[in-house]
Amino acid sequence: MRKILLIFIPLFLSSFSINSDDNSTEEKLNTQVEEVRKIVNENPKFNKEIAFFIDMEIRSGKNRFFIYDLKNNTIIDEGLVAHGSGSETGIPGKLKFSNVANSLSTSLGKYSIGKYYNGQFGKAYKLYGLDETNSNAFRRSIVLHKFWAVPYEEQDKCICTSYGCPMVNETYFSRIEKIIDNSKTNIILSIYY
């Protein structure tokens, strides 16, 4: 009888190992992928093979920046990314978003990644908002850049914040920049919650 209980207990526990949050994270990503596919298929100026996705509902200490292969329908790389300090609400796990100048907040929506320039944080990519929710990105100087204080490894605590920019680790940035610089067309970045 004891052997039977030992067999059934692990089976019972394993049936509950799928986290509903993981399912909603995957469902949200799939929805975003389909929306980006529509955009890139309708406009030849956008890359049809690669897109970037950031799920701001995932805690900042966990990988939430995804490099996605649109042709093979798979995540090919992931890393940590900071959100804007103005997006903090004081409630753990809850963020707010804004498209307003000087809000220091992240803006949700689809972005076209533009040309790079060398600025305060070194090489950075200009971002052009494609939606009402991020239409002021260029005027707000919201850019994709690296920062030394963003950790490379996942952790349980939250990471540093930005002034509204998607800000990543230097090592992860080096992989992102190779993809962007080798693309003949603009890559879409989708930030969602």
Side-chain angles (χ1 to χ4, degrees), residues 127-165:
L127 296 176
Y128 300 90
L130 301 176
D131 297 318
E132 269 186 48
T133 54
N134 64 1
S135 59
N136 292 324
F138 183 76
R139 286 189 294 279
R140 291 179 60 208
S141 299
I142 301 300
V143 300
L144 173 59
H145 68 88
K146 61 188 170 189
F147 188 57
W148 64 268
V150 177
Y152 182 70
E153 299 289 333
E154 287 187 304
Q155 55 189 32
D156 290 331
K157 59 184 178 180
C158 294
I159 64 170
C160 59
T161 57
S162 71
Y163 287 168
C165 299

Side-chain angles (χ1 to χ4, degrees), residues 21-39:
D21 290 342
D22 291 342
N23 286 337
S24 75
T25 298
E26 189 176 331
E27 287 172 17
K28 284 192 306 179
L29 176 60
N30 289 337
T31 298
Q32 292 297 315
V33 167
E34 289 311 310
E35 289 177 13
V36 166
R37 274 201 180 101
K38 286 179 190 170
I39 294 169

Side-chain angles (χ1 to χ4, degrees), residues 3 27 51 59 89 117 120:
K3 287 182 180 177
E27 287 172 17
R59 290 179 318 172
T89 63
Y117 69 98
Q120 178 181 359

Side-chain angles (χ1 to χ4, degrees), residues 86-150:
S87 288
E88 295 284 327
T89 63
I91 301 168
K94 297 291 179 193
L95 298 177
K96 62 182 179 177
F97 305 95
S98 176
N99 193 26
V100 176
N102 302 316
S103 66
L104 306 181
S105 296
T106 297
S107 295
L108 300 179
K110 312 282 185 299
Y111 296 81
S112 174
I113 300 175
K115 297 197 181 301
Y116 75 85
Y117 69 98
N118 287 303
Q120 178 181 359
F121 301 104
K123 187 174 185 179
Y125 293 91
K126 296 176 182 179
L127 296 176
Y128 300 90
L130 301 176
D131 297 318
E132 269 186 48
T133 54
N134 64 1
S135 59
N136 292 324
F138 183 76
R139 286 189 294 279
R140 291 179 60 208
S141 299
I142 301 300
V143 300
L144 173 59
H145 68 88
K146 61 188 170 189
F147 188 57
W148 64 268
V150 177

Side-chain angles (χ1 to χ4, degrees), residues 71-84:
K71 287 182 85 171
N72 295 307
N73 212 33
T74 186
I75 295 169
I76 57 174
D77 201 355
E78 56 188 22
L80 300 178
V81 60
H83 56 260

